[in-house]
Amino acid sequence: MKIVRTIPELKKIVREVRKSGGTIGLVPTMGHLHQGHLSLVKAGRSECDFVAVSIYVNPIQFGAGEDFEHYPRDLTTDAGLCREEGVDLIFSPSDRDMYPQGYDTYVLVEKLTRGLCGRGRPGHFRGVTTVVTKLFNLLEPDTAYFGQKDAQQALVLKKMAADLNMNLTLKIMPTVREADGLAMSSRNTYLSSEERETALVLYKSLNRAEELILGGCRKGSKIIGAMEAIIFREPMAKLEYIEIADTTNLETLEELKDEVLIALAVKVGKTRLIDNIIVEVL
Ligand code: AMP
């Protein structure tokens, strides 16, 4: 497994793989890898000849006062995990290489980034779509793997790839959870043991929503009210948003039908957590 830190070295390797006719799978990450990331790696390993994982904490997707500086970084442990999964290459560039002095080009998906996480994190998705475009150009993947855990991100990136005629397939893999239901996230390491308990409100409230829908409830506001009741019981949890939306355009639904995305963001102490489920409305 190669660990590549510079763009010229990366381009040389990608050229060689392309020349040999091999397919390239890419898993973009910010590192501090867990089983959620590794499920994407495993999918890539089973489908592609050459598997690359990018590990890059992308500064332009963090807002002022967010956790860019404190975001957990541990390339040695990440490299060990990638090696065990049979990854061929880790690309871990410097900020200077990704955004040299005078860098001035950004990619923006407009409508889909206005609601949900986009409302509380202005500029976040512009940072994501920009870095992912750069990674696609650099690594030339045939398939790129993303997690349903970041549901809005997955939709935004699919829209970007379609709108810009990008020549690759995006695969969205299911959310991997801890035994008690908490969605795996690199940010879970921020949680104290008490906060870790509180963090279960995301999963519990999503379960409650699903239960209500399966029981015949079709009113968005009623479901949101029941979810809020669970979250408001926890003094350490601060709700940012709950959204029940169309799974293709993210428009808010009051009358539920077909298939709905239920997504939420909650701050537990200082840690912002997100989770979501998709529910079939029969
Ligand atoms: P991150 O390092 O948080 O930027 O995540 C990198 C990729 O892993 C993104 O496509 C995420 O959606 C995906 N991912 C993160 N957590 C999980 C999880 N618990 N299950 C599945 N995929 C995940």
Side-chain angles (χ1 to χ4, degrees), residues 176-189:
V176 177
R177 299 178 179 281
E178 303 286 356
D180 61 3
L182 179 69
M184 289 192 185
S185 163
S186 307
R187 289 191 168 98
N188 291 349
T189 53

Side-chain angles (χ1 to χ4, degrees), residues 27-31 33-37 39-40 61 71 145-150 153 173-177 183-187:
V27 180
T29 81
M30 299 205 297
L33 302 180
H34 50 65
Q35 290 301 322
H37 298 115
S39 71
L40 313 186
Q61 72 185 68
Y71 197 85
Y145 298 85
F146 297 91
Q148 179 60 28
K149 157 81 171 26
D150 297 275
Q153 169 175 284
M173 308 304 294
T175 301
V176 177
R177 299 178 179 281
M184 289 192 185
S185 163
S186 307
R187 289 191 168 98

Side-chain angles (χ1 to χ4, degrees), residues 79-259:
L81 292 167
C82 286
R83 207 169 277 121
E84 278 171 25
E85 297 295 340
V87 168
D88 296 291
L89 177 148
I90 290 178
F91 178 51
S92 185
S94 67
D95 292 341
R96 222 176 11 178
D97 277 1
M98 289 299 271
Y99 304 109
Q101 184 106 52
Y103 186 87
D104 200 25
T105 303
Y106 299 87
V107 178
L108 177 65
V109 173
E110 298 208 340
K111 277 203 205 88
L112 280 177
T113 62
R114 285 185 193 142
L116 291 90
C117 289
R119 200 168 295 128
R121 301 187 75 188
H124 167 69
F125 286 111
R126 171 182 181 262
V128 171
T129 41
T130 299
V131 80
V132 170
T133 299
K134 286 171 71 72
L135 292 169
F136 286 176
N137 286 337
L138 288 166
L139 287 125
E140 299 178 32
D142 297 277
T143 310
Y145 298 85
F146 297 91
Q148 179 60 28
K149 157 81 171 26
D150 297 275
Q152 187 177 15
Q153 169 175 284
L155 275 175
V156 166
L157 291 173
K158 278 194 152 182
K159 184 77 177 125
M160 172 188 87
D163 283 356
L164 296 182
N165 312 102
M166 290 177 168
N167 198 15
L168 82 169
T169 304
L170 268 65
K171 290 218 169 154
I172 312 304
M173 308 304 294
T175 301
V176 177
R177 299 178 179 281
E178 303 286 356
D180 61 3
L182 179 69
M184 289 192 185
S185 163
S186 307
R187 289 191 168 98
N188 291 349
T189 53
Y190 296 145
L191 301 170
S192 68
S193 57
E194 215 180 332
E195 289 170 342
R196 172 68 182 72
E197 276 298 304
T198 301
L200 278 177
V201 290
L202 286 93
Y203 183 62
K204 283 184 194 156
S205 62
L206 288 170
N207 274 343
R208 180 72 187 123
E210 184 167 29
E211 212 173 77
L212 286 170
I213 295 170
L214 296 179
C217 180
R218 298 288 178 268
K219 289 266 172 258
S221 49
K222 182 148 185 249
I223 295 164
I224 290 176
M227 293 174 75
E228 283 175 346
I230 293 173
I231 294 159
F232 294 162
R233 274 206 297 268
E234 287 288 345
M236 266 190 307
K238 214 169 146 260
L239 178 64
E240 186 184 304
Y241 73 79
I242 298 174
E243 188 74 59
I244 302 185
D246 182 286
T247 52
T248 54
N249 59 24
L250 295 184
E251 276 167 22
T252 303
L253 296 170
E254 172 52 20
E255 203 56 47
L256 275 54
K257 60 176 168 40
D258 305 332
E259 187 190 65

Side-chain angles (χ1 to χ4, degrees), residues 7-79:
I7 289 174
E9 193 191 343
L10 176 72
K11 285 196 160 169
K12 203 164 142 242
I13 297 171
V14 169
R15 234 181 349 254
E16 279 160 17
V17 179
R18 281 262 155 259
K19 218 158 66 190
S20 74
T23 55
I24 299 177
L26 171 64
V27 180
T29 81
M30 299 205 297
H32 202 77
L33 302 180
H34 50 65
Q35 290 301 322
H37 298 115
L38 297 182
S39 71
L40 313 186
V41 172
K42 286 183 172 87
R45 184 68 286 166
S46 70
E47 293 172 0
C48 304
D49 298 317
F50 188 90
V51 178
V53 175
S54 61
I55 297 183
Y56 180 57
V57 184
N58 174 36
I60 68 165
Q61 72 185 68
F62 288 79
E66 291 187 354
D67 57 345
F68 174 67
E69 270 90 20
H70 301 114
Y71 197 85
R73 293 162 170 90
D74 184 355
L75 188 57
T76 312
T77 306
D78 288 346

